[in-house]
Amino acid sequence: MELPTYTYDLMTPEEKCIVSKDFTHPIVIRGFYKPNAIKVGFEGVTEMFGKTELPVEVYTTQDTSTTGAESDEMTIPRLIKHWTKKKPPSIYCAEVDLLDRDILRTNKNKHLLYRTLQNPNLDSRKVMTLLLYLGNNHASGLHLHVNSDFILNQLYGSKTVYIFDNYENSNIHKNSFFQMDKSNFAKEDFFKMDHSKMKIYKVTLQQGDSLLIPPWCWHATQGHGINTSITQTFDRKSISYLLKNPNLVLDYFIEDYTTLFPYLFMIILYIYMRRRARR
């Protein structure tokens, strides 16, 4: 199935407003990240980071969608050199927050990366994280983001995304929220399932394309060759989607624990007032 798709240069002012509000459904915007894709590209990213050691995930097999990984650090030139050998282990530079203080040593670097890699066509919402994904035929398992709106911007190469709403496929089951590092992932190995009996939207993002992802949408990705994505995350004004997705409530509050305290206070106050009223 195909997602609603726009070409950015042909969008009306009213249509362009969809990116400045809480996302209501997944949408593809062709060419939305085109200025950066042309200006920066893979070579630009390599030069930008130079000899900076970036976090990487090290897998003993090519299956990066379900198997566990060890952590390491590696420069991009060294990572590319490893890929050219076409030998194990499989190494993936994934979900590296470029606004994290441990990654960025100086404010100068922070502002340079923010200015260079954020989507130039999107300045109406504050970016919470700027995530780098640099892979070589790597896949990500089926997961959802629970708390935030995501925009996946394809900077270099291509990537196929499989996406669907939380309750659209009854054969998908979320991990328990007690599995803190994997609670937003599906129990099932999505790439080994029979997709012919499922309702799935599929889109291949080319260089310069973007995909808007609401927090209740399951999605898995498959990169093609060497490819680079820059994902931006945004806080939402409304959390009403939790009413239709009760299986995400605990994950939401655990992931964003700062919002949990006011609710706990209200519950404790409510219990206290009820007990006083009975006396």
Side-chain angles (χ1 to χ4, degrees):
M1 299 174 62
E2 294 186 1
L3 289 171
T5 302
Y6 296 89
T7 298
Y8 184 69
D9 290 341
L10 302 179
M11 293 174 71
T12 66
E14 291 75 19
E15 290 172 335
K16 290 180 179 179
C17 286
I18 59 176
V19 299
S20 62
K21 304 175 182 177
D22 287 351
F23 299 161
T24 58
H25 54 285
I27 293 175
V28 179
I29 306 181
R30 302 289 185 189
F32 189 45
Y33 197 61
K34 187 176 179 180
N36 272 21
I38 294 175
K39 181 180 178 180
V40 182
F42 184 73
E43 295 78 7
V45 170
T46 304
E47 293 176 5
M48 191 180 304
F49 287 97
K51 296 182 179 180
T52 302
E53 297 276 345
L54 296 173
V56 295
E57 300 171 356
V58 182
Y59 298 85
T60 55
T61 70
Q62 285 296 117
D63 183 9
T64 58
S65 63
T66 57
T67 57
E70 294 185 0
S71 299
D72 200 353
E73 292 187 346
M74 189 175 288
T75 65
I76 293 180
R78 184 179 161 206
L79 181 60
I80 297 171
K81 185 176 181 181
H82 173 78
W83 287 340
T84 59
K85 295 178 181 178
K86 298 182 179 180
K87 294 181 180 180
S90 179
I91 303 178
Y92 185 21
C93 181
E95 204 171 355
V96 179
D97 186 1
L98 302 179
L99 302 184
D100 190 281
R101 291 181 180 179
D102 293 333
I103 301 299
L104 305 170
R105 306 303 180 190
T106 67
N107 287 333
K108 181 180 179 181
N109 285 339
K110 177 177 180 178
H111 293 314
L112 173 64
L113 289 169
Y114 184 86
R115 195 167 57 244
T116 305
L117 294 177
Q118 73 165 333
N119 195 320
N121 290 318
L122 177 59
D123 56 8
S124 55
R125 297 179 73 177
K126 181 181 178 181
V127 177
M128 306 308 297
T129 60
L130 193 67
L131 306 175
L132 170 69
Y133 292 83
L134 176 59
N136 184 18
N137 292 313
H138 291 96
S140 68
L142 189 65
H143 64 286
L144 30 70
H145 296 300
V146 182
N147 286 62
S148 309
D149 282 343
F150 273 53
I151 295 184
L152 194 167
N153 301 292
Q154 194 63 21
L155 177 64
Y156 178 81
S158 62
K159 177 177 289 184
T160 295
V161 184
Y162 304 84
I163 188 169
F164 52 87
D165 279 0
N166 186 21
Y167 288 117
E168 279 188 322
N169 295 295
S170 59
N171 56 340
I172 296 296
H173 305 88
K174 191 175 71 64
N175 281 328
S176 166
F177 71 94
F178 290 110
Q179 294 177 260
M180 298 296 288
D181 59 335
K182 286 289 184 180
S183 64
N184 63 321
F185 277 76
K187 294 180 180 179
E188 295 77 17
D189 183 346
F190 174 76
F191 292 101
K192 293 181 180 179
M193 301 180 74
D194 183 2
H195 296 173
S196 65
K197 299 180 181 179
M198 300 171 65
K199 183 179 179 180
I200 301 172
Y201 296 92
K202 177 182 176 182
V203 60
T204 297
L205 301 177
Q206 304 294 340
Q207 185 172 345
D209 294 340
S210 300
L211 173 63
L212 280 56
I213 307 175
W216 59 87
C217 285
W218 287 104
H219 55 285
T221 69
Q222 175 63 64
H224 307 294
I226 295 177
N227 67 95
T228 309
S229 302
I230 300 293
T231 296
Q232 297 167 277
T233 71
F234 309 90
D235 281 343
R236 294 175 58 90
K237 293 182 179 179
S238 172
I239 60 171
S240 60
Y241 64 93
L242 293 175
L243 297 175
K244 296 181 180 180
N245 298 276
N247 66 325
L248 306 182
V249 172
L250 286 174
D251 296 86
Y252 177 90
F253 287 113
I254 288 175
E255 185 173 327
D256 191 5
Y257 63 88
T258 57
T259 64
L260 183 60
F261 297 118
Y263 289 92
L264 285 175
F265 176 77
M266 291 173 61
I267 292 172
I268 293 171
L269 181 63
Y270 173 76
I271 295 173
Y272 172 74
M273 296 302 292
R274 286 288 299 270
R275 287 183 176 179
R276 281 197 65 179
R278 291 174 183 173
R279 293 176 183 176

